[in-house]
Amino acid sequence: MKKPRAAMRSCCRKQASSKEGRKKHAPSSSQAKPSAPDGLAGRPEEVVLQASVSLYHLFRDTAEVTVFRESLLSWYNREKRDLPWRRQRVRWTWTGGRMLVTSGKGSVRSQTPDESLSFGMEEVNQLWAGLGYYSRGRRLQEGARKVVEELGGHMPRTAETLQRLLPGVGRYTAGAIASIAFGQVTGIVDGNVVRVLCRVRAIGADPSSTLVSQQLWSLAQKLVDPAQPGDFNQAAMELGATVCTPQHPLCSQCPVQSLCRARQRVEREQLLASQSLPASPDMEECAPNTGQCQLCAPPTEPWDLTLGVANFPKKVSRRPPREECSATCVLEQLGAHGGARILLVQRPNSGLLAGLWEFPSVAVEPSGQCQRKALLQELQSWAGPVPATRLRHLGQVIHTFSHIKLTYQVFGLALEGQTPVTITPPGARWLTREEFRTAAVSTAMKKVFQVYEGQQPGNCKGSKRSQVSISSSRKKPSPSQQLLDNFFRPLICTDPPSLNSVAQ
């Protein structure tokens, strides 16, 4: 039975009083300092400031921690998805995990360090195409090269050494590899874990702030199961991905709902609303008597009854992506030897979409002035003289990257009845349509090509045929993909005795 308002107030006051008592007997910061998690010693950010944080947001006794671990792992053993690195851990954790984080889907492809070096950067980009954040593909190859050439083929085994020795490996990736592949007892925090912890402990402050981030890592380290650290970390991420989702969480299916303070808050607010009682500051269980708790939501952000537990975590306002415009042209030789061919040029080795192939493009002003002239000059620099009168504007494609909203003005130019171009400058190549579909091109370029195909004779603009032509081609694996599929076999690890010393 729900407590009446007066009783709830009394309970809250008792909690505040007990907190005062605990604070009086607690050692000062000069007397005791929180210890750093295993493998991450020496990090200044691990020292978490407790004075401005209410114990309401923490796990105060071992019984709660035990229930959380057991409930979450029991659920995970029943409900976990069949993901590749859960079958071949050492091989998949580093590469597959990063690809899954990037794509948010299941489109994961991977290889061992030795095998990754058998691919050139072109093939790495081809395998990574469509996942976004292409720099991660390059860093994975750089890291694989370092493991093979400098570390004798042995992966570092701790989160600290992984982060220190491998380029592009941050705190989350290092913790994931160390716990899942090597059993190190270290917690990890990604977007899913942030959401789970913020709801379970009703943390309403900005999760991207330094203090809140420190507290979340501290909570993750306290909760991680010492007997099954890898499974526990995967279970926490799995819970956020499948149950404790951003907008429509499935609270009735949550294995830790009995410990969830966000759920308790929802029930309390529903009770108050049903009794037509106004909200009252003294109902806030987490606010200590001296000042506002820094893990609580700011007083200026009232509780939204329509959101429920989705009031947590706080939505971080992000700077809108800057807008840019580009004119791009699909230049096709219809009478080329061996069939029609399309011109692709390679982007620089640094910056946005580094090393990928694209249709000839130039940055232009959104006003549209001088677009044709600038684009014709770009085409001529790659293919020689082209008939300017055949350059047609076909439409536009808007593609948003992480920090750029790029509008492509799409043009098409078909070279027909002319002498085929036989001399191609470095950084350019002519591909058939089938070769294009398996090339290392970005999703944006595939969208551009869809617009071009939709304007060709026999294709109705916007027809289903033109819209599905590229997506259907993905069902046929490329030769490189088939090669990778052969790598997905059981892996037997025979680590030499010196592995720890070599890695560290």
Side-chain angles (χ1 to χ4, degrees), residues 100-241:
L100 187 65
V101 169
T102 299
S103 66
K105 303 172 185 176
S107 50
V108 180
R109 295 160 285 189
S110 176
Q111 64 267 2
T112 62
D114 279 319
E115 290 156 356
S116 71
L117 294 184
S118 67
F119 295 104
M121 201 63 240
E122 169 72 14
E123 290 170 297
V124 171
N125 283 335
Q126 181 178 339
L127 292 169
W128 200 273
L131 294 178
Y133 295 99
Y134 295 90
S135 61
R136 294 183 181 179
R138 294 195 304 276
R139 290 182 185 137
L140 281 168
Q141 193 185 50
E142 291 171 6
R145 188 174 302 279
K146 184 161 186 176
V147 168
V148 172
E149 296 178 355
E150 299 181 28
L151 302 178
H154 305 313
M155 283 283 289
R157 286 177 167 267
T158 68
E160 190 276 332
T161 53
L162 282 159
Q163 191 171 349
R164 175 166 53 86
L165 296 178
L166 298 185
V169 172
R171 191 175 184 184
Y172 158 71
T173 303
I177 297 172
S179 62
I180 298 173
F182 300 115
Q184 183 187 2
V185 184
T186 183
I188 62 174
V189 175
D190 74 340
N192 286 316
V193 176
V194 166
R195 188 164 54 256
V196 168
L197 293 180
C198 283
R199 288 175 179 172
V200 168
R201 295 292 93 175
I203 297 174
D206 182 356
S208 66
S209 69
T210 300
L211 183 138
V212 178
S213 178
Q214 290 171 357
Q215 287 287 354
L216 292 174
W217 278 96
S218 179
L219 280 173
Q221 183 63 29
K222 183 172 184 177
L223 292 171
V224 63
D225 191 296
Q228 304 176 71
D231 283 351
F232 179 88
N233 285 334
Q234 291 185 86
M237 292 186 286
E238 187 92 341
L239 184 65

Side-chain angles (χ1 to χ4, degrees), residues 189-465:
V189 175
D190 74 340
N192 286 316
V193 176
V194 166
R195 188 164 54 256
V196 168
L197 293 180
C198 283
R199 288 175 179 172
V200 168
R201 295 292 93 175
I203 297 174
D206 182 356
S208 66
S209 69
T210 300
L211 183 138
V212 178
S213 178
Q214 290 171 357
Q215 287 287 354
L216 292 174
W217 278 96
S218 179
L219 280 173
Q221 183 63 29
K222 183 172 184 177
L223 292 171
V224 63
D225 191 296
Q228 304 176 71
D231 283 351
F232 179 88
N233 285 334
Q234 291 185 86
M237 292 186 286
E238 187 92 341
L239 184 65
T242 63
V243 174
C244 196
T245 55
Q247 296 181 354
H248 303 289
L250 307 174
C251 293
S252 61
Q253 300 178 25
C254 179
V256 294
Q257 59 177 302
S258 63
L259 299 173
C260 181
R261 298 212 185 282
R263 185 67 185 167
Q264 296 166 8
R265 174 73 183 270
V266 169
E267 293 173 351
R268 186 168 70 250
E269 295 293 340
Q270 289 175 343
L271 175 63
L272 293 175
S274 66
Q275 296 177 349
S276 300
L277 297 174
S280 175
D282 62 2
M283 295 297 295
E284 293 294 334
E285 296 181 344
C286 56
N289 290 342
T290 57
Q292 176 71 20
C293 169
Q294 293 194 31
L295 293 186
C296 293
T300 55
E301 297 183 12
W303 178 267
D304 187 340
L305 285 172
T306 64
L307 292 178
V309 298
N311 277 281
F312 305 98
K314 178 186 176 182
K315 305 299 183 294
V316 180
S317 58
R318 296 183 178 179
R319 180 182 302 176
R322 69 175 186 270
E323 297 191 13
E324 296 183 1
C325 187
S326 175
T328 186
C329 179
V330 180
L331 180 64
E332 187 170 20
Q333 293 190 82
L334 299 179
H337 178 70
R341 294 184 181 275
I342 303 163
L343 178 64
L344 290 182
V345 299
Q346 193 169 28
R347 292 185 61 84
N349 290 326
S350 61
L352 182 68
L353 304 176
L356 295 187
W357 293 83
E358 66 179 6
F359 302 115
S361 305
V362 290
V364 295
E365 294 296 326
S367 61
Q369 296 180 355
C370 304
Q371 285 187 6
R372 295 177 63 89
K373 181 179 179 180
L375 188 56
L376 282 168
Q377 290 177 347
E378 179 71 10
L379 293 173
Q380 290 169 0
S381 69
W382 294 107
V386 295
T389 55
R390 295 186 187 176
L391 184 64
R392 299 181 300 129
H393 182 259
L394 306 179
Q396 72 177 26
V397 165
I398 299 175
H399 189 82
T400 302
F401 299 92
S402 59
H403 58 293
I404 300 173
K405 180 180 180 182
L406 190 49
T407 299
Y408 294 91
Q409 296 299 334
V410 182
F411 291 81
L413 199 162
L415 299 178
E416 189 173 12
Q418 295 179 236
T419 303
V421 178
T422 56
I423 300 176
T424 305
R429 62 183 183 178
W430 295 87
L431 301 180
T432 65
R433 293 194 177 200
E434 284 302 314
E435 289 171 336
F436 166 78
R437 292 188 174 99
T438 58
V441 298
S442 66
T443 301
M445 288 299 105
K446 293 178 180 179
K447 292 179 180 178
V448 167
F449 192 62
Q450 283 182 328
V451 173
Y452 176 77
E453 280 193 308
Q455 297 287 346
Q456 300 310 296
N459 284 351
C460 297
K461 184 177 181 180
S463 67
K464 289 185 178 180
R465 177 180 175 185

Side-chain angles (χ1 to χ4, degrees), residues 91 489-495:
R91 172 173 295 185
R489 60 184 182 274
L491 180 66
I492 300 176
C493 296
T494 55
D495 298 330

